[in-house]
Amino acid sequence: MKSKRPENIKEFIAYNSPAIAAIIVIILLMLLPTGYEGSQIYQGAERVPARVLSCDDSNIIDTGLVRSGEQECTVRVLKGKFKDAETQAVNLLTGSLEQDKIFVPGDKAYIVISYSGDEILSVTMTDHYRLDLEAVLALIFAAVLIIFAGKTGVRSVLSFILTVLCIWKLVVPLYLKGYDPIITGDIVIVFISVMIVSLVYGFDKRALASALGITAGIIVTAVTGIIFTDLFKIHGAVMSYSESLLYSGYSDLNLTKIFMASIFIGSSGAVMDVAVDITSAVAEIVKKKPDISRAEAIKSGLTIGRAAMGTITTTLLLAYSGSCIALLMVFMAQGTPVGNMLNYKYVAAEIVHTVVGSFGLVCAAPLTAVTSGLLLADNKSPETSQK
């Protein structure tokens, strides 16, 4: 028993140290400023929830589906410097169903109060207030995950928080500051992937095997995305809100490179799934059959990878097609020929997203099988193991 204790301690440290490292990184990222907290658009303003007391719709011009004009509301401020104050607020309507919102008495709204000293200058209704419900939804999700998955659920929550913070505190501000989107995105996504697989396995050979497969898949996706985005003549302006970004004072940003980076960022989760599935399967095979050769383990990993690719590529297709289902409905409703539809730049962009993302999966699966077989199995041939 004494001879096993040091190894048990090593295994304990290897398995739990990634969780400690993730917590430390999460704390550091939470403390890390983005550099855009003092954006000029929000100077001298307070963003708080308010209760809508009454609404005046007399200035709304209603022309069927399109509404324009403005809605005047009386609101009671619920938080902040002007808590409990009742004031008039304006809800501007631009005629866009996507952007506009209509309030009714009793609604909880998110407002922007412009003020000078203790005087309210103007109040603008930005949207319905959802932050409290979002927090409740996140807590329910975390609770369900922890209840059903136990310690693994806690690690999953940590990986979720880590990913959100890395995107918000690293990727977004670095892109805004003009850092190369492809290199920056690659580094951050590989870091996230290494941390996540380490949270799953601990710092051991399984984590290394998965991380190598994921890195290879991401690199293949990045290179393929660069090539086909250029060949398809796709400009990064196809991304939602990208032109608004240029008009906000960031005209020097390379939107096309950001689009290229979004391809491997979007598919990296699926690549991680495939790599972890294959690594776990090969590890289980090696555990059940310790004398298996590396060649046999690699062959088993490749077989598992083929089965996984049959569904995971469809997962990407459904994810991306779901995001543009309204556009497809417009094409069908207007009787647009299939050739015209497929040649349309927005559809071509989604095709690049889906197919190029699948390239990464196709490459990550066999590469993970190879790394898992080499790292997890002993270097024995079948003849040697039979002897």
Side-chain angles (χ1 to χ4, degrees), residues 29 105 321:
L29 287 174
S321 61

Side-chain angles (χ1 to χ4, degrees), residues 120-332:
I120 296 177
L121 302 178
S122 64
V123 181
T124 304
M125 315 275 285
T126 61
D127 213 327
H128 291 86
Y129 189 77
R130 305 182 182 94
L131 298 183
D132 50 356
L133 293 176
E134 289 174 358
V136 170
L137 181 62
L139 289 173
I140 292 173
F141 169 72
V144 171
L145 196 59
I146 293 170
I147 290 170
F148 283 98
K151 293 180 179 179
T152 303
V154 175
R155 290 169 179 263
S156 297
V157 172
L158 287 177
S159 66
F160 187 88
I161 297 171
L162 177 65
T163 302
V164 171
L165 287 174
C166 281
I167 296 297
W168 183 247
K169 288 297 188 82
L170 296 178
V171 173
V172 174
L174 289 176
Y175 279 10
L176 285 173
K177 290 173 182 176
Y179 286 82
D180 188 280
I182 296 171
I183 295 175
T184 303
D186 264 324
I187 293 172
V188 174
I189 293 301
V190 168
F191 170 74
I192 292 172
S193 303
V194 171
M195 289 300 299
I196 290 175
V197 296
S198 297
L199 283 167
V200 173
Y201 297 121
F203 288 131
D204 63 9
K205 291 182 179 180
R206 294 173 299 174
L208 179 59
S210 290
L212 291 174
I214 293 167
T215 302
I218 290 172
I219 291 173
V220 169
T221 306
V223 173
T224 313
I226 293 169
I227 294 171
F228 281 94
T229 299
D230 186 55
L231 290 175
F232 279 36
K233 306 295 182 184
I234 296 174
H235 192 277
V238 297
M239 296 181 294
S240 299
Y241 297 102
S242 56
E243 288 188 69
S244 299
L245 180 62
L246 295 182
Y247 300 145
S248 298
Y250 297 93
S251 57
D252 294 333
L253 293 180
N254 191 326
L255 293 181
T256 303
K257 278 195 171 185
I258 295 174
F259 172 79
M260 293 173 181
S262 72
I263 297 173
F264 63 78
I265 291 175
S267 64
S268 59
V271 172
M272 274 188 267
D273 285 341
V274 169
V276 169
D277 288 346
I278 294 173
T279 302
S280 296
V282 172
E284 190 64 19
I285 291 169
V286 172
K287 182 179 178 181
K288 298 296 183 183
K289 189 181 178 183
D291 60 345
I292 190 172
S293 69
R294 286 176 176 169
E296 288 177 314
I298 292 172
K299 185 178 178 181
S300 297
L302 291 172
T303 302
I304 297 162
R306 292 189 194 100
M309 282 187 292
T311 56
I312 200 70
T313 52
T314 308
T315 301
L316 279 181
L317 174 62
L318 291 173
Y320 290 127
S321 61
S323 65
C324 62
I325 191 68
L327 180 62
L328 298 177
M329 291 171 68
V330 169
F331 286 140
M332 181 169 288

